[in-house]
Amino acid sequence: MKVRTAVIPAAGLGTRFLPVTKLVPKELLPILDKPMLQYVVEEAAEAGIERVIVVTSRGKESIAAYFQAMPDLEERLADSGATALAAKVRAAAEIAQVSFVIQEQPLGLGHAVLTAEEAVAGEPFVVILPDDIIAHSPGVVAQMLVVHENTGGGVVAVEPMPWERVHNYGVVDATPVDDRVHQIHGLVEKPSRREAPSNLTIVGRYILPPEIFDDLRRTPPGTNGEIQLTDALVLLLEHHELYAYEFLGTRYDGGTPLGLLRASLEFGLAREDTRQEVLALLKTLQPE
Ligand code: G1P
């Protein structure tokens, strides 16, 4: 069955970005001129995803507003000759069909995904964590769909991590089966360094069968007392094959102010319209 749906959990409090997240959802913080969330919706659309379900929480209504058309603003821009800008404004509303579900309680990533069950409607789907911004063409979702088609199994994006940082992530126990592809035998959420089965850490992209919802329902609270997606994947393994895919691309941690700053600088260097100015800026900042 074609994968045509993406679930994007965006219900978190964004505590690492306080105080700005008092009022602005973390997912709307920009890399240059575009919200983080738009980068991942574009990555999904580029991979052929047609429907995007964003899981939000109360107080984050501006996320939904962002994906609505703003005809007045577009008209004003077009009238003043700023057609390129008008097109940028229109783009967010046209990338994909974006809908929203509310997670009423902050019970964890697994619970956020479970909240989208009805909207997913029994199809295989992609989960994209908007904190994990990955620059590459083709995007990581498109790369993973190829692995899904070749193996027929679920797919989790992973990257090798220096051992001293492994405890911050979900970690897979897996054996290589193909170029960049490993078959998963086990997973652990945020293990201590001693307990980590490998240094292949989960990055926020998953292709999952709809059966994961039954597994999420029988997943007890785990790390931090939250219902963890990683724990549900352990249950999924009992009846589904799961592959880890070492993606091509650079991952930026949009979940922290410094990670977002790094992404902004590197995207600024990569973009033709900003490259020269960012280079000049970096030069002026360099100590003699
Ligand atoms: C979540 C997942 C974790 C994964 C990480 C990737 O953790 O639970 O398995 O490695 O995203 O960003 P969080 O960063 O929400 O604590």
Side-chain angles (χ1 to χ4, degrees):
M1 195 189 255
K2 183 178 182 298
V3 181
R4 55 182 200 112
T5 307
V7 173
I8 302 184
L13 292 173
T15 45
R16 275 177 291 192
F17 277 103
L18 281 171
V20 67
T21 41
K22 279 167 72 182
L23 273 181
V24 182
K26 174 179 68 176
E27 297 77 11
L28 292 185
L29 295 176
I31 296 174
L32 300 178
D33 50 6
K34 239 171 24 183
M36 273 195 272
L37 185 56
Q38 187 166 345
Y39 287 90
V40 295
V41 173
E42 286 174 353
E43 180 186 325
E46 175 227 36
I49 298 292
E50 298 156 11
R51 308 191 305 150
V52 174
I53 301 152
V54 180
V55 181
T56 58
S57 50
R58 304 223 174 259
K60 296 180 90 172
E61 288 75 16
S62 52
I63 293 185
Y66 182 79
F67 286 95
Q68 273 156 20
M70 271 196 158
D72 290 354
L73 176 59
E74 280 169 41
E75 213 176 289
R76 244 188 305 146
L77 289 168
D79 287 351
S80 64
T83 43
L85 216 45
K88 275 190 182 181
V89 169
R90 192 166 43 248
E94 291 182 344
I95 316 167
Q97 180 205 322
V98 185
S99 61
F100 298 86
V101 294
I102 300 274
Q103 184 188 20
E104 294 288 355
Q105 285 173 292
L107 297 179
L109 175 60
H111 180 261
V113 173
L114 184 54
T115 309
E117 178 174 17
E118 218 180 286
V120 168
E123 296 183 13
F125 62 105
V126 185
V127 176
I128 308 179
L129 307 188
D131 276 6
D132 285 333
I133 300 291
I134 304 166
H136 196 272
S137 183
V140 178
V141 173
Q143 296 173 38
M144 290 170 74
L145 283 171
V146 175
V147 180
H148 172 66
E149 274 156 30
N150 291 342
T151 60
V155 187
V156 177
V158 296
E159 69 177 342
M161 187 60 64
W163 280 95
E164 62 275 13
R165 291 187 1 228
V166 161
H167 65 276
N168 294 316
Y169 298 92
V171 181
V172 301
D173 178 9
T175 47
V177 289
D178 205 345
D179 188 28
R180 297 183 169 274
V181 182
H182 309 249
Q183 179 155 14
I184 297 181
H185 308 294
L187 310 95
V188 199
E189 180 66 12
K190 302 194 174 74
S192 66
R193 180 171 173 165
R194 199 169 41 82
E195 284 160 340
S198 76
N199 70 334
L200 278 184
T201 58
I202 300 176
V203 171
R205 306 285 185 277
Y206 312 74
I207 298 179
L208 300 173
E211 287 80 4
I212 190 69
F213 293 118
D214 292 331
D215 300 316
L216 282 165
R217 247 188 300 280
R218 57 190 184 106
T219 300
T223 306
N224 296 332
E226 295 178 348
I227 296 173
Q228 298 290 347
L229 181 55
T230 305
D231 295 343
L233 294 177
V234 175
L235 301 180
L236 182 75
L237 268 183
E238 293 169 8
H239 51 94
H240 259 79
E241 285 189 343
L242 207 48
Y243 293 88
Y245 171 64
E246 280 185 64
F247 58 92
L248 296 166
T250 306
R251 167 186 175 257
Y252 299 93
D253 182 5
T256 64
L258 272 172
L260 193 60
L261 177 61
R262 185 180 149 220
S264 303
L265 288 171
E266 294 201 20
F267 277 53
L269 283 173
R271 234 167 77 168
E272 233 168 74
D273 60 330
T274 46
R275 178 173 174 76
Q276 290 311 324
E277 274 179 89
V278 177
L279 273 174
L281 169 70
L282 290 175
K283 251 194 206 141
T284 64
L285 295 178
Q286 249 166 25
E288 292 301 307

